[in-house]
Amino acid sequence: MLTDLLASIVVLYVVVDPIGNIPLFMAVTSKLDAARRQKVLMTSVAVATTILALFAVFGIGFLSYFGVGIGDFMVASGLVLTAFSLYYLLRPYEQSTVSEGVEIAVVPLAVPFLAGPASISYVLVVSSHVGPLLALVVVAAASFLTLITLMASSFLTRLLGVLGIRVLEKIMLILSVAIGISLVRRGILTWMG
């Protein structure tokens, strides 16, 4: 059980991809002073964590109300995760618009970059396997790791450079594609079993 829990934390961290989001975070907060940048970071992680926690607790019941089974959802989640990962893996880099306000903490940082369709889908799958309480532990741990990663964004950018960050982002996206395909396979096996 502990191994599954740790694996789920790592997978959610990979799906959320805070390392790949460092260039976006640096771009949208480049005109903010250190205190406001910290406030934006804390707000974005708090909002994303709240969204993921709500899906961890209520998401399965909501789906059950509509007659969606776990195999159905695993296939759908796998397809969404694969599609989004491939999109971000293959898209060209673009300049982000810079905003002065804290609203950037919610859009685009919290949603869709930290709590997007892929991470929400994965949280629902975790919740269906280990229950809402342990899914909350997974969300909290992955959110903490995300916060630490983004707090170190200036250091990591200096250490790895933009090219190094982008290489790590691509590696994490390839892992996300593999996780998505694995979810589809497991969903199909659930249908057959």
Side-chain angles (χ1 to χ4, degrees), residues 100-164:
E100 295 276 352
V102 179
E103 68 274 4
I104 61 171
V106 178
V107 177
L109 291 176
V111 180
F113 286 100
L114 299 180
S119 52
I120 290 170
S121 296
Y122 187 72
V123 165
L124 286 169
V125 170
V126 170
S127 181
S128 72
H129 281 295
V130 299
L133 188 60
L134 287 179
L136 284 175
V137 172
V138 170
V139 168
S143 296
F144 177 73
L145 293 173
T146 297
L147 179 65
I148 297 299
T149 303
L150 291 175
M151 285 178 81
S153 57
S154 295
F155 170 75
L156 289 171
T157 301
R158 282 194 308 273
L159 179 69
L160 302 172
V162 175
L163 182 61

Side-chain angles (χ1 to χ4, degrees), residues 68-77 183-184 186-191:
V68 177
I70 188 58
D72 305 327
F73 195 76
M74 288 176 87
V75 171
S77 300
L183 283 172
V184 171
R186 286 164 50 200
I188 291 170
L189 289 174
T190 302
W191 286 342

Side-chain angles (χ1 to χ4, degrees), residues 22 88 103 110 169:
I22 287 175
Y88 286 107
E103 68 274 4
E169 175 191 16

Side-chain angles (χ1 to χ4, degrees), residues 61-68:
F62 182 74
L63 290 175
S64 296
Y65 179 78
F66 291 102
V68 177

